[in-house]
Amino acid sequence: MSHLLPVIILVWTLNIFTSAVGQKKNETLTNLNLEFVELQTNSDASIRGLFVVDENVIWASGSGGTVLRSTDGGKNWIDVKVPGQTANDFRSIHAWDKNKALVFGVAGPDFGFLTEDGGESWKVVYKNAAQGAFFDSVKFSDSDTGLAVSDQIDGKPLLIKTTDGGKNWRKIENLPAVVDGEAHFAASNTCIEFLSSGKAWIATGGAAARVFYSEDFGENWELVKTPVIQGKPSSGIFSISFKNEREGVVIGGTYDKPEQNKQIAAYTTDGGKNWISAEKMPEEYRSCVQFVADEKENFFFAIGKTGCDLSVDGGKNWSFLVKTNYYTFRAVPGKLAGFVAGAEGRIARVEFN
C-alpha cells in the first residue's frame, strides 16, 4: 500500500501525573500534547528496523530486503534495497550518517550488510551457515563498538561484536546458557541496550524472561531473572532501554494476546542486577520502549501494535496515551520528538509537546 499524501492523524492532550522523589502520592501534573504525522514512504514492507541519526536523516528496514532512507526529515524516502535479498527481513539496523548504515537479516548465510555510499552498494560483513541463526537486534555504544545478537545456537545466544564500525565481527564466547525455548524477540530491534560506558544488556523471552548484563563492553556476561510474564513462545521481554547506567526498564507481554497486561513491565535502579514489577502496568502488550529526553524533560515511551504509554518515574507507573498501530520507535537525539514505524510501510513523525 502506498501513501499518497502526508496525513496529520491527531493531536492528543493528556494529563500525566508524576511523583516527586521520596513522596508516595502523585503531586505534579504535566500536560502533554502528542502528535502523529504519517509520512509517505511508497512502501508496503513490514518495518521493524528504525534508526534516527538526527531530525533530518532517518533509516528504516524490514521485509522484502527493504531499506529506506530519508535525508529531509521524512518528507521523501528512497528505497535502497540490498540486492538479492528480497526474501530476507532486515529486523535490525544502525546508521552513522546519511551515507553509512548497517543491517542484519533473519535469514542467512549472509546476515550482515554495510553501505558507505547511501545504499548505492552493499558489502556482506557477516556470514554464518549455522542452523538456527536468526538475528534479532544490533546496538552500538559508540561509532566503532557494536553488538548483534541471534537466537541461541547449541544452548547459548549467538552474540557477535565489532570494534571497527561494523566492518568485522567476532563471536563472544563467555555467555551463560539459556533454557530450551528461551530466545530473543526481533519485534523492534530493541532487545539490546549498550551504553558508551561499556554497560550492556540483552533481554529474553519465551520459556524464560531474563536479562543478560555485561560491564565490560560485552566480553563477559551474567544472567538474572525478571518478574515479566514467561512460559509461552509469544511471551516475555520484547524491549529494553536505559536512562543511565543504573536506571532502566523492560517491557513486553504476550504478542498474540495483547490485551493481557499482567507482569508486562519491570524496572531496575541498580544497573539490571535486580528487576521490580511496575506498579501500574502499560495498557497492553508493547514491543518497544525507548528513553526520550531534551534539556528539560525526560521519560520512557512504549509503543506496540495496539497503543502507546508513557512513564515519567523510571518505569514504576505507566500512563496510557492513545491507540496506535506501530511496532517500533526512535527518538530524535536531544529532542522530544521521534519516528515510529509499522506494517505496510507506515512511518510517522511523533512530537511530544
Side-chain angles (χ1 to χ4, degrees):
M1 180 178 72
S2 296
H3 304 293
L4 300 180
L5 293 172
V7 177
I8 297 179
I9 299 176
L10 273 177
V11 178
W12 290 274
T13 301
L14 306 112
N15 293 325
I16 307 299
F17 288 92
T18 66
S19 296
V21 176
Q23 297 179 352
K24 294 182 179 179
K25 293 184 179 180
N26 296 326
E27 296 182 351
T28 304
L29 180 66
T30 302
N31 290 322
L32 171 69
N33 291 329
L34 178 62
E35 180 181 4
F36 288 77
V37 180
E38 195 156 315
L39 306 167
Q40 176 184 345
T41 66
N42 295 316
S43 173
D44 60 1
S46 175
I47 298 174
R48 304 278 186 165
L50 187 62
F51 195 92
V52 178
V53 177
D54 54 38
E55 57 189 347
N56 294 312
V57 180
I58 309 105
W59 292 75
S61 62
S63 61
T66 298
V67 182
L68 303 175
R69 183 187 67 139
S70 175
T71 58
D72 58 7
K75 295 177 183 176
N76 296 282
W77 295 86
I78 301 173
D79 190 345
V80 290
K81 280 185 187 291
V82 180
Q85 293 296 311
T86 54
N88 212 336
D89 190 346
F90 293 124
R91 297 291 184 100
S92 308
I93 190 167
H94 179 85
W96 288 258
D97 51 40
K98 66 179 182 180
N99 294 315
K100 185 178 179 182
L102 169 80
V103 293
F104 269 86
V106 302
D110 295 344
F111 282 102
F113 301 83
L114 180 71
T115 181
E116 296 183 282
D117 55 12
E120 291 187 18
S121 64
W122 293 88
K123 178 183 178 182
V124 178
V125 291
Y126 183 76
K127 293 175 176 252
N128 194 320
Q131 185 175 359
F134 182 109
F135 277 86
D136 304 281
S137 189
V138 62
K139 188 66 185 287
F140 278 71
S141 64
D142 54 40
S143 60
D144 294 321
T145 310
L147 297 169
V149 67
S150 159
D151 285 341
Q152 62 167 296
I153 296 177
D154 297 327
K156 292 184 178 182
L158 171 59
L159 181 67
I160 58 175
K161 179 178 178 179
T162 180
T163 55
D164 61 2
K167 295 179 181 178
N168 294 281
W169 297 81
R170 65 178 175 86
K171 182 181 177 182
I172 298 294
E173 299 291 347
N174 189 19
L175 283 162
V178 295
V179 299
D180 187 31
E182 185 177 9
H184 314 285
F185 288 111
S188 61
N189 187 30
T190 54
C191 70
I192 300 178
E193 177 66 289
F194 195 9
L195 303 184
S196 59
S197 64
K199 298 286 184 69
W201 301 265
I202 304 174
T204 74
R210 303 190 288 180
V211 174
F212 291 80
Y213 72 91
S214 170
E215 299 181 339
D216 58 1
F217 291 91
E219 295 297 327
N220 296 280
W221 295 83
E222 294 188 43
L223 183 58
V224 297
K225 297 179 180 179
T226 78
V228 174
I229 188 171
Q230 57 191 275
K232 296 181 179 180
S234 58
S235 298
I237 303 169
F238 281 71
S239 184
I240 184 167
S241 179
F242 270 72
K243 176 181 179 179
N244 51 45
E245 291 185 8
R246 298 186 64 81
E247 300 173 85
V249 300
V250 291
I251 207 161
T254 303
Y255 175 79
D256 52 5
K257 294 183 179 180
E259 70 281 358
Q260 296 183 357
N261 76 336
K262 292 183 179 180
Q263 300 303 113
I264 67 171
Y267 66 95
T268 182
T269 58
D270 63 3
K273 296 176 183 178
N274 294 279
W275 294 88
I276 305 165
S277 289
E279 295 174 11
K280 185 178 186 300
M281 296 286 167
E283 185 82 357
E284 293 187 334
Y285 154 83
R286 300 293 180 246
S287 54
C288 180
V289 63
Q290 292 285 279
F291 181 64
V292 183
D294 66 1
E295 294 179 353
K296 297 181 180 180
E297 307 287 342
N298 65 81
F299 50 84
F300 285 101
F301 177 68
I303 199 162
K305 62 181 181 177
T306 63
C308 55
D309 307 80
L310 179 144
S311 175
V312 293
D313 61 2
K316 295 178 183 178
N317 294 280
W318 292 89
S319 297
F320 175 67
L321 300 179
V322 69
K323 288 189 175 295
T324 60
N325 187 18
Y326 297 101
Y327 302 143
T328 191
F329 164 81
R330 292 296 183 282
V332 176
K335 295 183 180 296
L336 302 185
F339 293 82
V340 291
E344 298 181 324
R346 296 179 62 223
I347 298 177
R349 181 178 175 86
V350 186
E351 296 280 357
F352 304 91
N353 299 308

